[in-house]
Amino acid sequence: MNDLRVPEKKFRPELEGVRVVAALLVAIYHIWLGSVSGGVDVFFIVSGYLITTSLLSRMERDGRIRFYEYYLGLMRRLIPNAYIVLLFCLVGAFILLPQTQWQQVISEIFASGFYFQNWELAFNSVDYLAQNNAASPLQHFWALSVQGQFYLTWPFIIFITFIIAKKVLKTPTRKTLLAILTILFVASISYSIYITTVNQPWAYFDTFARIWEFSLGGILALLIPYLNFSKLINLIIGWVGLIIILFTGIILPVSTVFPGYAALLPITGVILVIVSAENSHAFGVKRFLGSKPLLFIGGYSYAFYLWHWPLLIFYYAYFQTETVPYLHGLVIIIVAFVLSYLSTTIVEKPIRSLSVKQSKVKLSFIVLLFVIPIMGANMYWESYAEKKEQELLEQYNVDDYPGALVIYENAEVPDGVEPLTIPSGVESELPKFYSDGCYVQMDQDGLTMCSYGETDNPEYVVALVGGSHSGHWFPALEAITDDLNLRIDVYNKDACRFSTDLEGILTESCNDWNDLVLEELLKDPPDIIFTTSTVANEPKVPEGYIDMWKHFEGKSKIFAIRDNPIMSQDIPTCVELNGAAECEEPREGLLAEDNPWEVTEGLPEHVYFADLTEYFCDDDSCYAVVGNVLVYRDDNHISTLYSHTLANPLKDEFVRALEEWDM
């Protein structure tokens, strides 16, 4: 059986130009359009094409792949610029970013340095507790992580294919590889279409949803000798391909529909460009993409991609803005290119000039010289951040940080005391039940329950039910368990509400969870169910809430607390950068003008409505800081410390409810 034709070995200048275009598109869309271009998908198929060509050539020439030499060669190309930028991000974040972002950046430096940043972001995309993470200077490393995982696994696919073809099936190598890559392509794009439909934020970073793009590059590398068209056809398809690449980000909302089948658009553009270069017309796209200026810039496109994003994020941080004027954006691009030129010329090129075969030890040592100090510095920063957090916790005292007590009992606010700011994302900033694992994550099914307070002989059993807006009352509720002899049973699921409505942030998973909670609570009804009674600034009590409460008439009492205002920005970051006064927001628009349950009909009689709005807003404004304590841990969740200081007001409401219910 004859094998596939072997393509002519030649330099592909058009691919350098394609990479330049992709890198510039990524930067332009990020800086001025605030969107995504699809440029990384261009990188993926080009990588699939080139690496498949290179590895298959080695395999056919030597009968094996020298894995250590291959990986060492990759590291000498990838590590220098990547770790220089990681160091820049580490120092820049420490100096320019608020402490509320430190833990996020520290985590992402580790993830980026070891090429699993895409999974870090994927898990954050479905982790409700990480939904408010700010854009970090490391986010763009997700694409490099996907490529790194591809570079790691592809040699094994080529090697295993060679063994199967030669030793097992006795079939031609290239045809066998074509079959295997086709299977990978079909499996991956099928999964990609499915997962993009059901969970697009996860799919965007999922390596398995991207394998088809690399596979298609490999398939193209195998079939390119058969894709030979006339010069006129190539003239047309080449320019059409480039136009597709240029305008994908305008035609499609890439960040919300990719990868899936939508990513076939820029991928098709790259295929058309590569095919057109096989028999290029004098005025074909190859002439432009392979021109000397683009070839020159192409040598720095990888570093340019690395540099542009942290420069943009630090620009935002330094100038306290979310937009970039045209001239400033142009400066960012120029600076990114200058830094790319310097880091590539001074650092990367001398290292790349070393022979992998003759300098294994030296190159291995150089790689370690990049990795160990920078990761060591990051570990030191992590230790420093944890120490700062512990110091903040240790300096807490009720006299300096009275929180809600300044409203409840007119406590004095001491002068000269800065608000107590715990970096977001650390364990101490979340209610205790989160660290106990007593909650169901947004993308998970099932039910968990944990009990707190007086668990042996309680006078009242209180079921705290709902999502994070019920859960953030836990510190206040736990603080009154001794006084009122309460047992708290926590039923919590991220991004869910105790409701029968499947709308808004609620999902089918939430409906299933509500069914499980309802069944469990009706099986052994608690004395009281503590849950939210409203949603942000909606004018009435949701019907789904009322429907759920009616299930417990004659079984349990409902303690329904009004939802807190949802602010327009991350409050800890705002306060750290601008001060408390600058972060207050007008009450109008944040809360319904009338009390929702006073204008809602059909409310069950066994429900007690509690309203602690006075601890969040006065008649005109909603607070960012009360009594030297941050009211929020992000833009909408009550901070753990402030919740704790709300214990007395909550206790008063509980006592009134018990009296009203004659319990």
Side-chain angles (χ1 to χ4, degrees), residues 126-129 433-434 437-449 466-468 490-496 509-510 513 516-517:
V126 296
D127 181 357
Y128 188 69
L129 300 177
F433 67 83
Y434 283 108
C438 188
Y439 70 107
V440 180
Q441 293 187 19
M442 191 165 59
D443 63 327
Q444 293 180 338
D445 297 321
L447 183 69
T448 65
M449 191 279 283
S468 55
V490 176
Y491 298 87
N492 186 274
K493 178 172 170 61
D494 284 341
C496 281
S509 175
C510 288
W513 177 81
L516 292 173
V517 173

Side-chain angles (χ1 to χ4, degrees), residues 18 67-68 78 178 193 233 256 316 324 537 637:
V18 165
F67 287 94
Y68 186 71
L78 300 177
L178 178 61
I193 292 170
I233 290 176
T256 58
Y316 288 153
V324 183
N537 60 355
H637 294 102

